[in-house]
Amino acid sequence: MFNLDWLKPPAPAPNSESLLQENETLKKQLKELLTLDETGFFIELDSLLNAILKKALILCKAESSFIALTGKDPSELDVRVSNLILEEKMIKIRENYKKEYARWKETESDILTIDDFILLPLVRRHKILGVVGLKLNSDAPDNVCEILPVLGYKAAASLESAILYDRMFKRLLVLSNVFIFGREIIANLDLQTLVDKFLSTAIDGTDSEIASIYLFRDKLEYPYFSRVFSKEDPNIIFSVESVTGYTDLIKLVRNEGQPKTINSFENSEFYSEINKIQGIKIKDSVVIPLKPRETMLGVIQVCNKKGNSSYSYEDMDLLKILGSQIAFVIQNAELFNNLEKAYLDTLSALTNAIDAKDSYTRGHSDRVTELSVRLAKEAKVENTDLEKIRLGGMLHDIGKIGIPENILNKPGRLDDHEFEVIKSHPVMGVSILGGVEFLQNVVPIIKHHHERYDGNGYPDKLKGGDIPFLARIVSIADTYDAMTTNRPYRKALTIEESLKEIERCKGTQFDPELADLFVKMIQSDGH
Ligand SMILES: [Fe+2]
């Protein structure tokens, strides 16, 4: 026990009046201590801390005071409430407490003295949960050293349950976020939105400043996708496509496939990476691999735990749960993209096969696609429409797969019946692609690329603005390419002759505005 005599006022000579007064003080103290159990009802942590400090002040009449919690490191103080203490003083007390703590471990004494403060450790199961700091004045009761430990003992019990409650409550919040996140996955949000929601949930759940994700593909050295997210500074939301942010720590977790926690970058082998995330100083970090069924999809990282505490196994657990959810989403998105790509590759192979059926039209679909995209850009269509026109151009003649080769390659003029067969190819194209959901918005291009502006085209004799705009674009590109290539029944026209023909047919076969744009485009590009 430390000698605290110097804190006490000189003892007055005992007489009946002072004995009576002492008795009165003892009664009040006893009352306060008995009602201390009420603090157990302040299950909310901050209310409890305030209540403990208030009791300590009533019992000891301190002129300045504070209450602090300890984190994972019990020698670190996280000051939660303080009264009349300067910042510099507080820093000094925290530093000295760090030194005193080692000595406390040996003795587990009831009270510590640091400078002109007495510190009351709140101890449960040989662990300091928090500390009450008091600077006593001359009014302090004589028996302060007997009373404070009783307060400390009772307060520690309440504090333990409040900390537990606080942790459980936070965990519950996190789990509810995980649940909401799971529901959003089912709601089919796009991958980018889901990634941001995921990073935001990771930040909330682990009390971090920054969360980031890096996705890998087998043989690619650098991440093909990465995103860093911070709630405090919205400017830190960015995607990194290059090597930025792909640090040695991320590389290590990718290679080893094991989670890694760094509690202090300054004292770690990753010291040089301290400023690598957009110049933000990284204090500590947890990195988790996204590795469902032995496939390394990527890694997730959280940095800079808020407050005075360090990353715990609970943070790692939460990231693992969240990680398994986002891995599921990524894997499915990848599978979906792969499926889509495989399907398009097959279709592309099919159109090449159609082009190959007729040696004169080899490369026709590719050229129509290229011309259509150029004209669409001239007409300033939206990006999503550009994608449609790309697919529409590539697949516009897919229905020709059902047309007999002898009709397709007939050198002379087609008779009426043969012409009717040829005219069926747009509708046949629709029936080929009708069941493919992701190509549904391309189907109108395929169906109507032979409509004429004056309503004399096929299959539906649509007129003017009733013809889908993108189909009107493909129609011009298709005709122009047919004119400028050799056919079984005629030689190719020159560029000038073909453009003249386009001019001549504007308003009858072609949309006049698009025809003008097309002619101008070819003339200025020279092809
Ligand atoms: Fe066609």
Side-chain angles (χ1 to χ4, degrees), residues 102-119:
R103 221 177 312 167
W104 178 87
K105 272 303 274 180
E106 286 168 22
T107 60
E108 294 203 13
S109 56
D110 290 336
I111 283 179
L112 295 167
T113 53
I114 288 177
D115 297 345
D116 43 358
F117 270 72
I118 59 170
L119 262 57

Side-chain angles (χ1 to χ4, degrees), residues 364 396-397 400 422 425-426 446 449-450 458 478:
H364 171 68
H396 73 283
D397 272 347
K400 280 192 178 165
I422 287 272
H425 79 270
I446 291 153
H449 75 278
H450 283 291
Y458 61 90
D478 186 22

